Structures are given as C-alpha cells and as structure tokens.
Amino acid sequence: MTASSNAGLATRATSNRFDVDRIRSDFPGLHQTIKGKPLVYLDNAASTQKPQQVIDAISGFYAHDYANIHRGVHELSERATRAYESARLKVQAFMGAASEREIIFLRGTTEGINLVAESYGRAHVGEGDEVLITTMEHHSNIVPWQMLCERSGAKLKVVPINDRGELEMDELEKLLGAKTKIVAVGHVSNALGTINPIRTIIELAHAQGVPVLIDGAQAAPHIKIDVRELDCDFYTISGHKMFGPTGIGALYAKEAILEKMPPYQGGGDMISSVSFEKTTYNRLPFRFEAGTPNIAGTVGLGAAIDYVNDIGMEGIAAYEEELLDYGTEALREVQGLRIIGEANHKASVLSFVLDGIHPHDIGTILDQEGIAVRTGHHCAQPVMERFGVPATARASLAFYNTREDIDRLVRGLATVREVFT
Ligand SMILES: Cc1ncc(COP(=O)(O)O)c(C=O)c1O
C-alpha cells in the first residue's frame, strides 16, 4: 500500500460521516469520460470497480513477493505463501468463520457451488432425493444442481416467488421434506435485489436435518456476513463483485462437513502422498485446492477486504439503503417505468422496464450518455419468465455511487423516451 493511500485510510477512519468523495477518489476507473460524458457506473452487480489500494497490492506482490506457494524453501516462496495464507485469514474474519480450514479459495461463486454440488452432492444425493432451490436463483445456483439431479436421479424442487419478488415461505415449508438433501438459496437476488430471509430458511431446513448453501455473491459487497451466526453450512463469495480482482472467490463450509466430503479435483497440493497403488489426501483446506491457485488474486481479495473493513460494513449498508430509497423514488417518477422487484427488504438493485422500449435500446442510449447499466436476463431467465418480460435494464449500486448518479440516470431515461417518441 502506498504512503498516499495510507493517508487516505487515516482520513476515512477518523471521519464519522460517510465520505463518498474521499472514497470515490480511491477508484481510478470512476474518473473517466465515456462518449464525452463523465462516467456513471451503475453495473456493480455484474462487477465492481477496483480501488487503487487493491491495484497496488496486486502489482506490489508481482513486483516484489511473487513465487509459487507451499513447500518452497526459498525466501520468495515463503513470502508468497505468507501472503496467500494471510489473505485466507482475512476472508475467514470477513465471513465470521471459526477456522481458516473452513475457507477454500477458488474462482468464485460459480465454482464454489459446483464444488458443493459435485463433491457433497456425489456423496449425499441419490435417486429419489430432492434438491430445493428458488425461482430467483442465478443460473450458477440452478445449473450445477440440475446437473447433479441428472447424474443422480434426484429431483429439483423450486420455491415460487410473489409479485413483489419475495419468496413464498409457506411454499418453501411445504416443499422442504424428508426427501430434501440440500437447500441452495441466494442471500440477495442479482435480478431483483431481494434480500432473502436466510436465517429463517436455515432454521427451517436444520429442523429437518437438511444442510443449506447460501449464494452470497450479491450480499458480500453490501451486508455484513457472519456464517457462524447464520449457522449456514456453505456460503460462497466472488472477489470481483466486492472490489477485488476477477478469478478469485471463496467457499466457506463447516469443517465437520468438509472433512467428510470427497475431493473435488485431483492434482498437486491436494494430496498427502501419491503412489500408483494409493493416494492419500491433504488436510483441510488444501484438499480442495488442487493445482497452483490464483495467488495474486488472493492478495487482491485480501486488500479489498481491508478496504471494505476500513470503511465499515454498517456504514456501507446504511449509505446504500438510503441511496436505494432515493433511486427507487426517483425511478417511480419516470413515466412508463415499471420496477421489477419491489420486495420489502432489498439491496442495491434497481431492475426495470420502460413501456414499449426494449431494455437493450435503453442500455445503448444510456451508454451514449456515459451511463453504464446492464440489460438482459442477468443470468436469471426463470425470474424474467416469472415477471413476463424477456429482459430488464438493471442499475446496481455500490458505496461509491451518489444521488447525482441517480439524477443522471433519470435524465438519461428522459433522453431514451425522447429518442423513441
Ligand atoms: C447471485 C449470483 N450468484 C452467482 C453469481 C456468479 O458469480 P461468479 O460469476 O462470480 O462466479 C452471480 C454473478 O452475477 C450472482 O449475481
């Protein structure tokens, strides 16, 4: 970390108001013009911009401390191993896990869910069993379970959602039964912004002895996570959605469960000894980290966690809640606009359609105004089907967005209407 960024941290730490200008100055990507207009970045649910502190941590690691990790006897390998394992401790603390043995580094949420579906699923889900998910899942919390069901002869059961985009909890209780072998649910929906009542879901599932996987890809940047308080069995996060680099994420899993899971991938580092007659596996968490991992990615993820911790998750959540309310009110004033997803508890996502205008056209015209939103099905096609729309436009917020960004969006939408009338 540079001397100037250290000074920045001190300023933020001593300030008790949410200093969004100071925060924005840490993100070089935000300070550019697009099509001649200052950028308004509202595509955070897809991926967030990176603070200078994360960029510096990655380039500093490559410049000074880089080597392959574990088993190296030379100085650089020891430094790289320390950096990698210290990032694991940061993730452990960030997620509230009891032990670093419960944190597995992998590419991100998608790989985390695939690991559980493949490894836990192979050992515990068979013919006639059921896997319970919900209508609002991202494709990465649908397809791995579908694949497991195809392989094993199990059935995929789906909890419906109401018109506001909230889970129908009565239906969930009915669907959760003796045949259910695992429940997999998103903490926050990327397409709707709904914050699901995961604590209640975990209690209901545990009452029947069923483990629960939480897809936390959209929660980790916005809500304080505490896996021990939640008592979830698995929780996945993606670094690139929480101000860290791409290609790195983490799976939390309870140690007692991990101990009984067969390895996911075979290769170097996940073994204890190998012979042609018999291979024995490494201890946790290395048993689930075959091959050379994304070492620099973990360093960047650790720096992103330091950055977020420095601002404080409570302050972030409060600021974003206020901004989401402001954005929701502002969009409600836009003629012909329908918000898709109006749950009572929401985080940071404003999905919408405009009468008679295709979302792709909305996105293209907003881009001409320097405003980045995402349009399409957001890897949640069952949600689009549920609301009877082929796609939506989605503005998604991070703690560096401002009311001015929302005002620019609203003015941009007025331009969209003008073009189409
Ligand atoms: C709710 C949710 N789950 C899972 C994913 C997949 O995350 P990744 O592509 O980082 O693996 C996403 C990405 O948009 C998401 O929003």
Side-chain angles (χ1 to χ4, degrees), residues 195-240:
I195 303 175
N196 284 317
I198 56 166
R199 196 175 312 220
T200 310
I201 294 171
I202 292 163
E203 276 169 18
L204 288 168
H206 283 181
Q208 311 232 18
V210 179
V212 181
L213 175 140
I214 304 295
D215 167 354
Q218 295 296 340
H222 307 293
I223 298 173
K224 185 162 175 38
I225 301 164
D226 188 333
V227 289
R228 258 181 300 175
E229 197 198 329
L230 287 169
D231 196 27
C232 56
D233 302 278
F234 305 99
Y235 197 108
T236 60
I237 60 173
S238 292
H240 70 99

Side-chain angles (χ1 to χ4, degrees), residues 45-46 108-111 138 140 188-190 215 217-218 238 240-241:
T109 296
T110 302
E111 192 174 19
H138 187 280
S140 59
V188 173
S189 154
N190 68 310
D215 167 354
Q218 295 296 340
S238 292
H240 70 99
K241 293 187 195 287

Side-chain angles (χ1 to χ4, degrees), residues 3 11 175 329:
T11 313
L175 286 168
E329 288 312 310

